[in-house]
Amino acid sequence: MFTEYEIESMIEYPEVKEATKTLKKDFLKTEAPYLEISDEDFFSLIVMTPTIGIAMADGKISLFEEMALNKKARKLSKGGYFMKKDPVVYAMKFLIKNYYNWSDKFLDVLKDTIKITCPLDELSLKPIDKNADIDYNEYREAVLHSPYLLIRFIASFFLENDEDIINQNHKVGKEEFQRMILIGEKLELDKIPVFQMFCKTFQ
């Protein structure tokens, strides 16, 4: 998962900061008029959107999923809030309540953030054979040669533990997998071979 320092660094891009502030203003006005949250912590909420979406794929969030979401949110919060109310955890409740009204707007900001912060133009976008089995060695090499931040995005969005990124036996439910594919398409990650290969590691 991203650290608070990586969040702070990404939001320093002027386009990312402006998009975050615009969405924050709209979200607070509509959903949470009394919520106090910094721009950095609101951007952390944006980064949580794919993980929240996958947790909601079967129509509900289990206690285990809620604990995992809270753990990620606390890690992203600027300054750490383990002993008091965490603004990202608190804001997440408002997003979950009306997730499907807001998810596309949040994912749009995230999609633009990926394009702004990652040198995707330098990647080979030659698609892989969707019907072929994954070549694990090829996937491992693709991960190691991909931009650091791109792999951080993929791991942070779709894995509980970042170190599991180079793994050929990821396990996830059918609904969660379908939601991951959908979110990948909305973020335009589906055009990137390393993400295509990553999806093939799921059983």
Side-chain angles (χ1 to χ4, degrees):
M1 192 64 190
F2 285 119
T3 67
E4 63 177 280
Y5 307 107
E6 289 169 323
I7 292 292
E8 187 176 28
S9 298
M10 284 190 283
I11 202 174
E12 284 304 309
Y13 285 84
E15 303 95 325
V16 176
K17 181 180 283 289
E18 186 60 33
T20 299
K21 292 174 72 171
T22 299
L23 181 56
K24 173 186 166 184
K25 181 178 180 181
D26 187 19
F27 185 76
L28 266 58
K29 179 180 178 181
T30 307
E31 294 292 338
Y34 301 109
L35 175 65
E36 295 184 4
I37 187 169
S38 68
D39 293 341
E40 289 84 356
D41 283 340
F42 191 79
F43 182 66
S44 295
L45 178 65
I46 295 173
V47 170
M48 289 288 299
T49 307
T51 310
I52 294 170
I54 291 171
M56 296 181 66
D58 60 355
K60 62 184 184 301
I61 295 180
S62 68
L63 178 60
F64 177 79
E65 288 171 327
E66 182 181 356
M67 291 173 63
L69 287 172
N70 289 348
K71 181 180 178 181
K72 279 194 171 186
R74 288 180 182 277
K75 186 173 181 180
L76 290 172
S77 297
K78 185 173 175 61
Y81 289 85
F82 287 98
M83 301 303 292
K84 55 185 177 180
K85 182 185 289 186
D86 185 287
V88 182
V89 172
Y90 186 57
M92 192 166 58
K93 298 181 186 301
F94 292 96
L95 178 57
I96 290 171
K97 182 179 179 181
N98 280 317
Y99 179 83
Y100 297 107
N101 291 336
W102 290 97
S103 59
D104 283 349
K105 292 181 179 180
F106 277 65
L107 292 174
D108 280 345
V109 174
L110 214 45
K111 177 181 67 178
D112 290 341
T113 299
I114 294 170
K115 290 179 179 178
I116 291 165
T117 60
C118 290
L120 300 181
D121 292 342
E122 300 174 9
L123 295 179
S124 168
L125 298 182
K126 181 181 178 181
I128 65 171
D129 184 352
K130 294 184 178 180
N131 297 317
D133 291 335
I134 183 174
D135 183 321
Y136 178 61
N137 289 330
E138 186 178 345
Y139 168 64
R140 182 168 52 189
E141 185 175 331
V143 170
L144 294 175
H145 291 168
S146 294
Y148 168 81
L149 199 53
L150 174 62
I151 299 304
R152 294 288 280 153
F153 276 121
I154 294 172
S156 293
F157 296 160
F158 305 117
L159 294 175
E160 184 174 348
N161 299 306
D162 292 2
E163 56 268 25
D164 287 338
I165 186 70
I166 300 183
N167 188 334
Q168 57 183 332
N169 294 307
H170 294 117
K171 299 188 183 300
V172 70
K174 182 179 179 180
E175 293 87 356
E176 287 83 0
F177 181 75
Q178 291 175 338
R179 180 62 58 83
M180 183 182 76
I181 296 296
L182 177 62
I183 291 173
E185 291 173 353
K186 290 186 175 183
L187 295 175
E188 297 184 2
L189 291 172
D190 61 313
K191 299 178 174 63
I192 303 172
V194 71
F195 178 74
Q196 297 168 0
M197 297 169 77
F198 169 74
C199 292
K200 281 180 167 286
T201 65
F202 285 82
Q203 298 181 354

